[in-house]
Amino acid sequence: MLQPEKKIQMEDTIDTAMGVFSYQYLASNDSLLFNITPTHFPPLPPIIDQTISFTIIVALFITMVSLGCTMEVSKIKTHILKPKGVAIAVVAQFGVMPLTAFSLAKVLQLGPMEAVAVLICGCCPGGNISNILALALKGDMNLSIVMTTCSTVLALGMMPLLLYLYCQGFSNLESAVPYAGITLALVMTLFPCGIGILINFYRPQYSKTITKIGLSLLLISMVVIGLLASVTRGRMNVMLTVLSPQLMATAALMPLIGYSLGYILSYLFRVNRSGQRTIAMETGCQNIQLCSAILKVAFPPDVIGPLYLFPIVYIVFQVGEALLLIVLFWVHQRFFKTKKKEKRVYEAVKLEEAGQPSDVAI
C-alpha cells in the first residue's frame, strides 16, 4: 500500500505527463495491446527525441514549400469556375478516408491511442506525392494540384471537425484529442505553402527543383526518423506496437480502399478517365508528413509512444499499392490499347485494298 504522500505524487506525475487524459480514463483502460500508462512507453533520450521532432518539423516545412511550388493561381481559377471535379474530390478526401479510418479502427478493435493515430491519418489532407502518382497514371495534373490545394486549405476546419465527430464513437476518447494543437499545426503549414506559391509565381524556374528536393527529403527523413526511434536498447519491443497485425492491416487497407472508392465515386459522377485516375490517387494519398508532425508534437511522448511512426508504415503501403496500380495501367496501355489500335488500322488497310470505302481514320 502506497503512503498518501507518494500516491498524490504519482497522480501529479501522471496528470503532468499525460496532459490530455484524465487519471480515471487511464485507470479504466485495460486494452490488451497496450495500456496507456506513463511507464509503458519508455522515453527516448532527450537528444534523440529532440532530433526526431526537429527532423519532422523541418521535413514538413520543406515538403509544404515544395507543395506550394506546384500550385498556380491560374489553374486554380480554371477549376473553381468548373468545380465538379474538385467538389467530388473534396467529398472523397474528407468523406471516404475518415470513414474508412473509423470503420477499420472499429472492425480491427484498435486501442484508444491507435484509433487516434489512425483517425488523424485518415483525416489528413492530400499530400504532394499524389501529384507524382497522378502524373505517372496520365491523370489531370491541373485537377490534381487544385485538389491538393483545396484539401490543404479545407483541412483547417474539416480535420478538427471530423476528429471530433468520429472520436464520439469511442468511449472516453472525445476529450483526448488536443484540437487546439492540431489546429495550430494546420495553420502553421499554410506559411511554408504560401512561400512555395510565391516562389512558383516569381521564380517558376526553381519550382521543379524545389519539388524534387522536397520529395527526396520526405523519403530520407522517414528513414532517419525510423532509425533514430529504434537505436536505444529495449525500444524494439515497444516499436512492435506500430507493427502489430491490426495496425499493419489498417495501413494496408486504408489506401487501397481510398483508391478504389475514389475511382468508383468519380466514375458514378461521370468524370472523364484521366480525372477518375486523378481522384483515385488524391483520395488514397494522405499528407503523412503532417500526420507525423501532429502525432509527435501535439501529444506527450509517454502518450503517443512509437505510434507517431504509423504514417511511415502507411506510406510504404500507400506508395507500394499505387506503384502496383501504375504498373497495371502501363501494361494495359501497352498491350491492350495498342493491339486494338493496330487491329483497326489493319482492317482499314484490307478494306482499301479490296476497293471498299473505309470509315476508320488512320
Side-chain angles (χ1 to χ4, degrees):
M1 180 70 68
L2 290 173
Q3 297 295 328
E5 292 180 0
K6 290 185 178 180
K7 185 175 181 181
I8 293 171
Q9 245 180 3
M10 182 180 295
E11 291 181 359
D12 289 339
T13 303
I14 291 173
D15 290 338
T16 303
M18 308 303 278
V20 296
F21 293 100
S22 65
Y23 178 74
Q24 289 81 6
Y25 172 75
L26 296 174
S28 65
N29 177 38
D30 58 354
S31 170
L32 295 177
L33 185 59
F34 66 93
N35 292 319
I36 306 179
T37 62
T39 57
H40 188 81
F41 292 141
L44 286 167
I47 184 64
I48 294 179
D49 188 60
Q50 291 172 8
T51 302
I52 290 174
S53 298
F54 178 78
T55 303
I56 289 175
I57 292 171
V58 170
L60 176 63
F61 183 90
I62 295 178
T63 50
M64 290 305 292
V65 171
S66 68
L67 176 61
C69 285
T70 65
M71 300 177 184
E72 295 182 21
V73 177
S74 59
K75 293 177 180 178
I76 294 173
K77 286 182 179 178
T78 301
H79 278 281
I80 288 176
L81 294 175
K82 297 180 179 179
K84 178 182 177 181
V86 176
I88 295 170
V90 169
V91 170
Q93 178 71 55
F94 292 112
V96 170
M97 295 310 290
L99 180 59
T100 299
F102 175 81
S103 301
L104 289 173
K106 280 291 188 181
V107 170
L108 297 174
Q109 299 180 348
L110 299 182
M113 276 311 300
E114 288 176 316
V116 169
V118 170
L119 281 173
I120 289 176
C121 188
C123 293
C124 274
N128 49 3
I129 287 182
S130 61
N131 304 143
I132 306 300
L133 298 176
L135 177 62
L137 283 170
K138 298 182 180 180
D140 185 340
M141 291 309 298
N142 291 341
L143 176 60
S144 178
I145 292 167
V146 172
M147 282 178 61
T148 305
T149 306
C150 291
S151 65
T152 301
V153 174
L154 289 175
L156 287 172
M158 292 300 296
M159 193 172 176
L161 175 62
L162 290 169
L163 283 173
Y164 175 78
L165 292 176
Y166 282 112
C167 280
Q168 306 301 312
F170 297 89
S171 58
N172 299 320
L173 202 59
E174 60 273 9
S175 60
V177 179
Y179 299 103
I182 291 173
T183 304
L184 180 62
L186 289 168
V187 172
M188 293 301 293
T189 60
L190 293 183
F191 175 68
C193 195
I195 292 175
I197 293 173
L198 291 175
I199 292 173
N200 194 34
F201 185 78
Y202 291 105
R203 295 289 186 272
Q205 64 271 25
Y206 300 134
S207 295
K208 289 185 179 180
T209 302
I210 294 174
T211 302
K212 290 178 181 178
I213 292 173
L215 290 173
S216 301
L217 180 64
L218 166 63
L219 299 176
I220 294 171
S221 63
M222 292 297 103
V223 174
V224 170
I225 291 166
L227 291 174
L228 287 173
S230 60
V231 292
T232 308
R233 178 182 293 182
R235 292 289 301 182
M236 286 306 296
N237 288 335
V238 176
M239 286 185 64
L240 289 177
T241 299
V242 82
L243 298 176
S244 67
Q246 294 95 324
L247 283 178
M248 291 288 283
T250 302
L253 290 172
M254 270 181 68
L256 184 61
I257 293 172
Y259 295 144
S260 302
L261 294 183
Y263 188 88
I264 292 170
L265 187 63
S266 58
Y267 175 80
L268 292 176
F269 281 92
R270 299 181 180 179
V271 179
N272 59 45
R273 291 293 179 86
S274 62
Q276 290 171 12
R277 296 192 294 270
T278 301
I279 292 174
M281 287 298 105
E282 288 289 339
T283 304
C285 289
Q286 306 300 99
N287 190 332
I288 58 98
Q289 309 98 295
L290 177 60
C291 183
S292 293
I294 289 174
L295 290 172
K296 187 71 178 72
V297 177
F299 292 90
D302 289 342
V303 174
I304 196 63
L307 290 173
Y308 67 88
L309 297 174
F310 173 74
I312 299 178
V313 179
Y314 184 89
I315 195 176
V316 171
F317 287 101
Q318 172 181 278
V319 174
E321 291 167 6
L323 290 177
L324 177 60
L325 293 174
I326 290 169
V327 170
L328 293 175
F329 173 75
W330 285 350
V331 169
H332 179 267
Q333 291 285 101
R334 175 69 178 85
F335 293 102
F336 292 92
K337 285 206 169 183
T338 304
K339 284 186 176 181
K340 185 177 179 181
K341 185 178 179 181
E342 287 176 352
K343 183 178 179 182
R344 290 181 65 193
V345 172
Y346 176 71
E347 289 177 348
V349 172
K350 283 185 67 178
L351 287 171
E352 287 180 358
E353 288 177 351
Q356 300 178 13
S358 171
D359 59 351
V360 180
I362 303 177

mmCIF file of all heavy atoms in Angstrom, residues 243 247-256 259 284 310-324:
data_model
loop_
_atom_site.group_PDB
_atom_site.id
_atom_site.type_symbol
_atom_site.label_atom_id
_atom_site.label_comp_id
_atom_site.label_asym_id
_atom_site.label_seq_id
_atom_site.Cartn_x
_atom_site.Cartn_y
_atom_site.Cartn_z
ATOM 1 N N LEU A 243 3.910 -2.137 -35.397
ATOM 2 C CA LEU A 243 3.951 -3.200 -36.396
ATOM 3 C C LEU A 243 3.021 -4.351 -36.025
ATOM 4 O O LEU A 243 3.179 -5.469 -36.522
ATOM 5 C CB LEU A 243 5.387 -3.724 -36.550
ATOM 6 C CG LEU A 243 6.423 -2.703 -37.039
ATOM 7 C CD1 LEU A 243 7.812 -3.321 -37.062
ATOM 8 C CD2 LEU A 243 6.060 -2.172 -38.415
ATOM 9 N N LEU A 247 -2.513 -2.868 -36.861
ATOM 10 C CA LEU A 247 -2.076 -1.627 -37.496
ATOM 11 C C LEU A 247 -1.522 -1.877 -38.900
ATOM 12 O O LEU A 247 -1.690 -1.048 -39.803
ATOM 13 C CB LEU A 247 -1.022 -0.929 -36.631
ATOM 14 C CG LEU A 247 -1.563 -0.192 -35.401
ATOM 15 C CD1 LEU A 247 -0.427 0.427 -34.595
ATOM 16 C CD2 LEU A 247 -2.558 0.888 -35.795
ATOM 17 N N MET A 248 -0.859 -3.005 -39.080
ATOM 18 C CA MET A 248 -0.354 -3.343 -40.420
ATOM 19 C C MET A 248 -1.524 -3.539 -41.386
ATOM 20 O O MET A 248 -1.486 -3.078 -42.532
ATOM 21 C CB MET A 248 0.496 -4.609 -40.349
ATOM 22 C CG MET A 248 1.810 -4.432 -39.604
ATOM 23 S SD MET A 248 3.009 -3.448 -40.531
ATOM 24 C CE MET A 248 3.562 -4.665 -41.725
ATOM 25 N N ALA A 249 -2.566 -4.228 -40.918
ATOM 26 C CA ALA A 249 -3.750 -4.430 -41.757
ATOM 27 C C ALA A 249 -4.429 -3.098 -42.068
ATOM 28 O O ALA A 249 -4.868 -2.855 -43.197
ATOM 29 C CB ALA A 249 -4.732 -5.368 -41.049
ATOM 30 N N THR A 250 -4.483 -2.211 -41.078
ATOM 31 C CA THR A 250 -5.078 -0.890 -41.284
ATOM 32 C C THR A 250 -4.295 -0.098 -42.326
ATOM 33 O O THR A 250 -4.879 0.506 -43.232
ATOM 34 C CB THR A 250 -5.103 -0.097 -39.961
ATOM 35 O OG1 THR A 250 -5.840 -0.840 -38.988
ATOM 36 C CG2 THR A 250 -5.749 1.261 -40.148
ATOM 37 N N ALA A 251 -2.963 -0.095 -42.193
ATOM 38 C CA ALA A 251 -2.111 0.642 -43.127
ATOM 39 C C ALA A 251 -2.208 0.088 -44.535
ATOM 40 O O ALA A 251 -2.066 0.833 -45.520
ATOM 41 C CB ALA A 251 -0.656 0.599 -42.650
ATOM 42 N N ALA A 252 -2.447 -1.207 -44.660
ATOM 43 C CA ALA A 252 -2.565 -1.821 -45.989
ATOM 44 C C ALA A 252 -3.919 -1.563 -46.626
ATOM 45 O O ALA A 252 -4.017 -1.329 -47.835
ATOM 46 C CB ALA A 252 -2.309 -3.335 -45.882
ATOM 47 N N LEU A 253 -4.975 -1.587 -45.817
ATOM 48 C CA LEU A 253 -6.335 -1.469 -46.361
ATOM 49 C C LEU A 253 -6.755 -0.029 -46.639
ATOM 50 O O LEU A 253 -7.489 0.234 -47.588
ATOM 51 C CB LEU A 253 -7.331 -2.120 -45.395
ATOM 52 C CG LEU A 253 -7.257 -3.641 -45.286
ATOM 53 C CD1 LEU A 253 -8.147 -4.140 -44.156
ATOM 54 C CD2 LEU A 253 -7.664 -4.297 -46.600
ATOM 55 N N MET A 254 -6.287 0.917 -45.812
ATOM 56 C CA MET A 254 -6.749 2.307 -45.958
ATOM 57 C C MET A 254 -6.484 2.891 -47.345
ATOM 58 O O MET A 254 -7.411 3.391 -47.998
ATOM 59 C CB MET A 254 -6.130 3.191 -44.870
ATOM 60 C CG MET A 254 -6.954 3.263 -43.604
ATOM 61 S SD MET A 254 -6.206 4.339 -42.351
ATOM 62 C CE MET A 254 -6.371 5.938 -43.134
ATOM 63 N N PRO A 255 -5.228 2.870 -47.829
ATOM 64 C CA PRO A 255 -5.009 3.461 -49.164
ATOM 65 C C PRO A 255 -5.706 2.689 -50.270
ATOM 66 O O PRO A 255 -6.216 3.290 -51.221
ATOM 67 C CB PRO A 255 -3.480 3.423 -49.321
ATOM 68 C CG PRO A 255 -3.004 2.395 -48.358
ATOM 69 C CD PRO A 255 -3.969 2.416 -47.223
ATOM 70 N N LEU A 256 -5.762 1.361 -50.153
ATOM 71 C CA LEU A 256 -6.414 0.547 -51.189
ATOM 72 C C LEU A 256 -7.899 0.875 -51.287
ATOM 73 O O LEU A 256 -8.446 1.037 -52.380
ATOM 74 C CB LEU A 256 -6.221 -0.942 -50.870
ATOM 75 C CG LEU A 256 -6.755 -1.931 -51.916
ATOM 76 C CD1 LEU A 256 -6.057 -1.720 -53.258
ATOM 77 C CD2 LEU A 256 -6.566 -3.369 -51.432
ATOM 78 N N TYR A 259 -8.180 4.419 -52.886
ATOM 79 C CA TYR A 259 -8.018 4.397 -54.346
ATOM 80 C C TYR A 259 -9.288 3.869 -55.021
ATOM 81 O O TYR A 259 -9.766 4.428 -56.006
ATOM 82 C CB TYR A 259 -6.832 3.507 -54.736
ATOM 83 C CG TYR A 259 -5.486 3.999 -54.268
ATOM 84 C CD1 TYR A 259 -4.499 3.095 -53.851
ATOM 85 C CD2 TYR A 259 -5.174 5.354 -54.242
ATOM 86 C CE1 TYR A 259 -3.258 3.531 -53.426
ATOM 87 C CE2 TYR A 259 -3.937 5.798 -53.811
ATOM 88 C CZ TYR A 259 -2.974 4.877 -53.395
ATOM 89 O OH TYR A 259 -1.743 5.306 -52.973
ATOM 90 N N GLY A 284 -6.688 8.313 -52.004
ATOM 91 C CA GLY A 284 -5.929 7.336 -51.219
ATOM 92 C C GLY A 284 -4.652 7.859 -50.614
ATOM 93 O O GLY A 284 -4.108 7.249 -49.687
ATOM 94 N N PHE A 310 3.409 5.442 -37.221
ATOM 95 C CA PHE A 310 2.381 4.803 -38.046
ATOM 96 C C PHE A 310 2.332 5.384 -39.464
ATOM 97 O O PHE A 310 2.165 4.627 -40.425
ATOM 98 C CB PHE A 310 1.007 4.915 -37.383
ATOM 99 C CG PHE A 310 -0.122 4.438 -38.255
ATOM 100 C CD1 PHE A 310 -0.315 3.077 -38.488
ATOM 101 C CD2 PHE A 310 -0.985 5.341 -38.871
ATOM 102 C CE1 PHE A 310 -1.349 2.628 -39.309
ATOM 103 C CE2 PHE A 310 -2.015 4.906 -39.687
ATOM 104 C CZ PHE A 310 -2.192 3.547 -39.911
ATOM 105 N N PRO A 311 2.459 6.710 -39.647
ATOM 106 C CA PRO A 311 2.457 7.237 -41.015
ATOM 107 C C PRO A 311 3.553 6.668 -41.903
ATOM 108 O O PRO A 311 3.381 6.588 -43.118
ATOM 109 C CB PRO A 311 2.641 8.754 -40.812
ATOM 110 C CG PRO A 311 2.098 9.012 -39.447
ATOM 111 C CD PRO A 311 2.455 7.805 -38.651
ATOM 112 N N ILE A 312 4.682 6.278 -41.306
ATOM 113 C CA ILE A 312 5.755 5.682 -42.106
ATOM 114 C C ILE A 312 5.307 4.324 -42.645
ATOM 115 O O ILE A 312 5.565 3.981 -43.798
ATOM 116 C CB ILE A 312 7.044 5.524 -41.264
ATOM 117 C CG1 ILE A 312 7.518 6.901 -40.782
ATOM 118 C CG2 ILE A 312 8.141 4.833 -42.057
ATOM 119 C CD1 ILE A 312 8.752 6.852 -39.915
ATOM 120 N N VAL A 313 4.635 3.551 -41.788
ATOM 121 C CA VAL A 313 4.099 2.269 -42.235
ATOM 122 C C VAL A 313 3.045 2.501 -43.313
ATOM 123 O O VAL A 313 2.985 1.800 -44.326
ATOM 124 C CB VAL A 313 3.483 1.489 -41.044
ATOM 125 C CG1 VAL A 313 2.911 0.160 -41.507
ATOM 126 C CG2 VAL A 313 4.523 1.270 -39.958
ATOM 127 N N TYR A 314 2.226 3.535 -43.104
ATOM 128 C CA TYR A 314 1.165 3.851 -44.057
ATOM 129 C C TYR A 314 1.725 4.206 -45.424
ATOM 130 O O TYR A 314 1.227 3.749 -46.453
ATOM 131 C CB TYR A 314 0.310 4.999 -43.518
ATOM 132 C CG TYR A 314 -0.875 5.339 -44.403
ATOM 133 C CD1 TYR A 314 -2.088 4.692 -44.225
ATOM 134 C CD2 TYR A 314 -0.771 6.284 -45.417
ATOM 135 C CE1 TYR A 314 -3.180 4.991 -45.031
ATOM 136 C CE2 TYR A 314 -1.851 6.583 -46.233
ATOM 137 C CZ TYR A 314 -3.053 5.934 -46.042
ATOM 138 O OH TYR A 314 -4.117 6.219 -46.857
ATOM 139 N N ILE A 315 2.788 5.024 -45.456
ATOM 140 C CA ILE A 315 3.311 5.476 -46.747
ATOM 141 C C ILE A 315 3.932 4.326 -47.537
ATOM 142 O O ILE A 315 3.927 4.330 -48.771
ATOM 143 C CB ILE A 315 4.339 6.619 -46.571
ATOM 144 C CG1 ILE A 315 4.574 7.320 -47.922
ATOM 145 C CG2 ILE A 315 5.642 6.113 -45.997
ATOM 146 C CD1 ILE A 315 5.485 8.520 -47.852
ATOM 147 N N VAL A 316 4.457 3.327 -46.830
ATOM 148 C CA VAL A 316 5.014 2.161 -47.525
ATOM 149 C C VAL A 316 3.916 1.462 -48.331
ATOM 150 O O VAL A 316 4.087 1.149 -49.522
ATOM 151 C CB VAL A 316 5.657 1.179 -46.520
ATOM 152 C CG1 VAL A 316 6.045 -0.122 -47.214
ATOM 153 C CG2 VAL A 316 6.890 1.810 -45.880
ATOM 154 N N PHE A 317 2.774 1.229 -47.688
ATOM 155 C CA PHE A 317 1.655 0.585 -48.387
ATOM 156 C C PHE A 317 1.023 1.542 -49.398
ATOM 157 O O PHE A 317 0.617 1.117 -50.488
ATOM 158 C CB PHE A 317 0.603 0.120 -47.381
ATOM 159 C CG PHE A 317 1.017 -1.083 -46.586
ATOM 160 C CD1 PHE A 317 1.483 -0.965 -45.290
ATOM 161 C CD2 PHE A 317 0.954 -2.352 -47.153
ATOM 162 C CE1 PHE A 317 1.875 -2.080 -44.564
ATOM 163 C CE2 PHE A 317 1.339 -3.477 -46.432
ATOM 164 C CZ PHE A 317 1.800 -3.337 -45.134
ATOM 165 N N GLN A 318 0.932 2.819 -49.044
ATOM 166 C CA GLN A 318 0.328 3.803 -49.934
ATOM 167 C C GLN A 318 1.066 3.870 -51.267
ATOM 168 O O GLN A 318 0.460 3.803 -52.332
ATOM 169 C CB GLN A 318 0.359 5.170 -49.246
ATOM 170 C CG GLN A 318 -0.070 6.335 -50.117
ATOM 171 C CD GLN A 318 0.012 7.649 -49.372
ATOM 172 O OE1 GLN A 318 -0.893 8.017 -48.619
ATOM 173 N NE2 GLN A 318 1.093 8.383 -49.552
ATOM 174 N N VAL A 319 2.391 3.985 -51.208
ATOM 175 C CA VAL A 319 3.196 4.078 -52.429
ATOM 176 C C VAL A 319 3.281 2.725 -53.123
ATOM 177 O O VAL A 319 3.198 2.635 -54.356
ATOM 178 C CB VAL A 319 4.607 4.616 -52.099
ATOM 179 C CG1 VAL A 319 5.501 4.579 -53.332
ATOM 180 C CG2 VAL A 319 4.520 6.037 -51.563
ATOM 181 N N GLY A 320 3.450 1.651 -52.339
ATOM 182 C CA GLY A 320 3.554 0.316 -52.932
ATOM 183 C C GLY A 320 2.321 -0.068 -53.730
ATOM 184 O O GLY A 320 2.420 -0.572 -54.854
ATOM 185 N N GLU A 321 1.139 0.172 -53.155
ATOM 186 C CA GLU A 321 -0.103 -0.157 -53.855
ATOM 187 C C GLU A 321 -0.308 0.741 -55.068
ATOM 188 O O GLU A 321 -0.796 0.294 -56.111
ATOM 189 C CB GLU A 321 -1.282 -0.049 -52.882
ATOM 190 C CG GLU A 321 -1.266 -1.133 -51.816
ATOM 191 C CD GLU A 321 -2.231 -0.847 -50.669
ATOM 192 O OE1 GLU A 321 -2.988 0.144 -50.758
ATOM 193 O OE2 GLU A 321 -2.226 -1.606 -49.684
ATOM 194 N N ALA A 322 0.072 2.021 -54.945
ATOM 195 C CA ALA A 322 -0.042 2.938 -56.081
ATOM 196 C C ALA A 322 0.881 2.507 -57.222
ATOM 197 O O ALA A 322 0.490 2.544 -58.396
ATOM 198 C CB ALA A 322 0.292 4.364 -55.637
ATOM 199 N N LEU A 323 2.094 2.083 -56.891
ATOM 200 C CA LEU A 323 3.022 1.619 -57.927
ATOM 201 C C LEU A 323 2.487 0.380 -58.635
ATOM 202 O O LEU A 323 2.660 0.226 -59.851
ATOM 203 C CB LEU A 323 4.392 1.324 -57.311
ATOM 204 C CG LEU A 323 5.192 2.553 -56.835
ATOM 205 C CD1 LEU A 323 6.493 2.109 -56.172
ATOM 206 C CD2 LEU A 323 5.480 3.496 -57.998
ATOM 207 N N LEU A 324 1.834 -0.504 -57.877
ATOM 208 C CA LEU A 324 1.228 -1.684 -58.488
ATOM 209 C C LEU A 324 0.126 -1.269 -59.470
ATOM 210 O O LEU A 324 0.047 -1.804 -60.585
ATOM 211 C CB LEU A 324 0.647 -2.595 -57.399
ATOM 212 C CG LEU A 324 -0.090 -3.851 -57.884
ATOM 213 C CD1 LEU A 324 0.850 -4.742 -58.693
ATOM 214 C CD2 LEU A 324 -0.669 -4.624 -56.706
#
